[in-house]
Amino acid sequence: MKATYISREKNDVKFTMEFTAEEFDNAQIKAYQAAKGNIEIPGFRRGKAPRSIIEKHYGEGIFFEDAIDELFREHYPNALRELELDIIDSPSAEFSELKKGEGFTATITVACSPIVEVKDYKGVEIEKIENEVKDEDVDNDIKSLQKRNARIISVERPAQDGDTVLLDYAGFVGEDQFEGGTAEGQELVLGSGMFIPGFEEQLVGVSAGEKKDVTVTFPEEYHAEDLAGKEAVFHCTVHEVKEEQLPELDDEFAKDVSEFDTLEELKASTRERLESYAKAGAESQMKDAALGKVVESNEVDIPAIMVNDEIDRMLQELDQQMRYQGLSLEQYIQYTGKDAAALRDELRPEAEKAVKTRLILNGIVEAEQFEVTPEEVDEELKTMAAQYQMTPEKVKELIGDNIKYMEKDLKTRKAVDFIFDNAVIK
């Protein structure tokens, strides 16, 4: 297949895909193999009629349509990558005369992402941001490290807030035990907020071996409708009370948890790391501010289909988030009292801004003719490999032809950096 760019009129791009006679015939063979089991020809058992007989009986074009579908499935995405077209809609196609034993040409017209002429993206004025690292930030980070290295030990005393209790419980509404309200050997950190409001507080003061009836009221918006708003009693038996024992913050602690010999060295390294994060965070905030000003100062005619596609993507992302929490998107819509149309309208401004930002960055990439070097691609592959604990070669193999999208993302990052590098920082 040979792809050739022809022209662009506004957002509509026209190009051709030329297929050889051999490619067309091989696709017809595949179409014949897939369809022959459903074709009946007098004198032949089902699926046994030769292709030539079927074509003689039904016409030589019997497999043309399926063959074209096969060729498009395989080669259309390749043509888009080769011509670097960012399509936003389904294509229309016109074909040259189709004949057995000959190749053909498909002329494709498809709507693509608009090319935006961006103005005023150099010299944007932004405020300088400096994120200061305070002594308490260093102390809190060290305390977090201390907490991660804590021991959990059993204690012979009543449970306190922050303790971990090992318990059995069975939940009842009235005289009826309800499904999902029973557990044995459950560990619960008091004060964690993992259980229904009011549950954990009532276990404060209970010792190992004691029983306790805990009375709570389920929230009105509780996901199980048969329990929502109802009072329930949990019959609890506490088997063990455990407390968190923190290690001493001294030189020995530093040696145990790091490569440093003293606590002061660990603190100095922690400050250096936090300051590095703070600097990167401040730069990211300033980049966002600069990009935001460029987006605000440019008017862009955004195709409605791009906004709707972005809303669809946002809804898919929301659906995944809800499923992690045990809900479906439909349940979320129901609980929030909205309908699907209202939710789409609510997401529309954010979707429009996302699409506009993407178009503006693409416009800057085109204007500045940013390119990506093989070395930059290799560095990105190494970063992804470290993130997913793979070799760069394996990541590259998994990405395959989609590496073009990685290169596009790298160009977009260059556009953001270009805006920031040319900004006036007050």
Side-chain angles (χ1 to χ4, degrees), residues 169-171 177-183 186 195-196 218 222-223 227 234:
Y169 59 82
Q177 186 173 352
F178 57 87
E179 186 178 352
T182 303
Q186 174 75 51
F195 275 31
I196 302 163
F218 283 96
Y222 194 67
H223 62 85
L227 296 175
F234 287 84

Side-chain angles (χ1 to χ4, degrees), residues 3-7 13-17 76 79-80 83 85 87 91 106-110:
T4 304
Y5 181 91
I6 298 177
S7 63
V13 170
K14 184 175 288 188
F15 66 96
T16 59
M17 295 169 59
Y76 181 65
L80 297 179
L83 300 176
L85 298 180
I87 66 168
T107 301
I108 313 296
T109 302
V110 62

Side-chain angles (χ1 to χ4, degrees), residues 11 88 111-114 300-309 355 359:
N11 296 337
I88 60 175
C112 290
S113 178
V300 178
D301 186 15
I302 307 172
I305 191 169
M306 294 187 74
V307 177
N308 287 326
D309 286 347
V355 174
L359 291 175

